[in-house]
Amino acid sequence: MKSYLSCCFFDNDDDLAESALANVQQEATLLIFNALHNCSVSLETTWKKLPEDFRKLCATELEQNCVQFGVRLDECRDQWAANWIFQTKWGNMHRYRKRKRVNSLIQVSCLLLICFQYRLGTIQEPLE
């Protein structure tokens, strides 16, 4: 994506493109957090299973908000760039949430196992 931005929007200036991409990604993150707070969506849902009108709204908002960074995503056919950025960002957040939930379940399971072993008398004291 950085190469695309550099070539199409910043006259092959990779530093400007990298800075703009960071701003675009931060904007996408903010829009996702805003959507999670204000809409009935959850990171439990994959990007492809979200309603199409919601995905289109996200892409349109990102296109509008990124003009201030000199990135005209609205010039891309069928919102491909905005959709790609959102799909990637949403996917990363979805996988992180899923992994975090699994790790939490593992910790709870280990704690329950220790408590169970303590009650059975197979260990003398619960570990701290």
Side-chain angles (χ1 to χ4, degrees):
M1 180 58 75
K2 184 178 87 171
S3 298
Y4 173 77
L5 294 178
S6 177
C7 174
C8 294
F9 300 110
F10 297 104
D11 200 28
N12 293 316
D13 188 331
D14 288 340
D15 293 333
L16 277 177
E18 188 170 344
S19 176
L21 182 58
N23 288 332
V24 168
Q25 289 175 333
Q26 185 176 20
E27 186 65 29
T29 302
L30 291 172
L31 287 171
I32 288 172
F33 283 129
N34 187 39
L36 291 171
H37 181 71
N38 295 323
C39 302
S40 58
V41 294
S42 166
L43 283 174
E44 297 291 324
T45 308
T46 62
W47 177 252
K48 288 185 179 185
K49 290 187 179 178
L50 289 168
E52 188 172 338
D53 58 334
F54 173 78
R55 292 183 306 195
K56 185 165 181 56
L57 177 66
C58 289
T60 301
E61 283 188 42
L62 185 63
E63 287 175 342
Q64 292 170 351
N65 294 355
C66 288
V67 171
Q68 65 183 324
F69 309 125
V71 179
R72 299 297 312 252
L73 297 177
D74 58 323
E75 294 178 357
C76 298
R77 181 180 293 177
D78 297 325
Q79 297 182 310
W80 77 264
N83 279 317
W84 183 85
I85 291 166
F86 255 109
Q87 183 176 2
T88 303
K89 184 63 75 173
W90 189 276
N92 290 341
M93 293 172 81
H94 170 75
R95 282 186 296 282
Y96 173 75
R97 179 175 172 83
K98 194 173 176 182
R99 184 179 33 198
K100 187 176 168 183
R101 189 179 68 231
V102 167
N103 288 340
S104 178
L105 289 173
I106 290 170
Q107 289 173 349
V108 169
S109 297
C110 288
L111 182 60
L112 288 174
L113 179 62
I114 290 169
C115 290
F116 183 71
Q117 288 174 338
Y118 177 73
R119 290 185 109 194
L120 288 176
T122 55
I123 59 173
Q124 297 300 318
E125 295 180 20
L127 301 174
E128 295 188 29

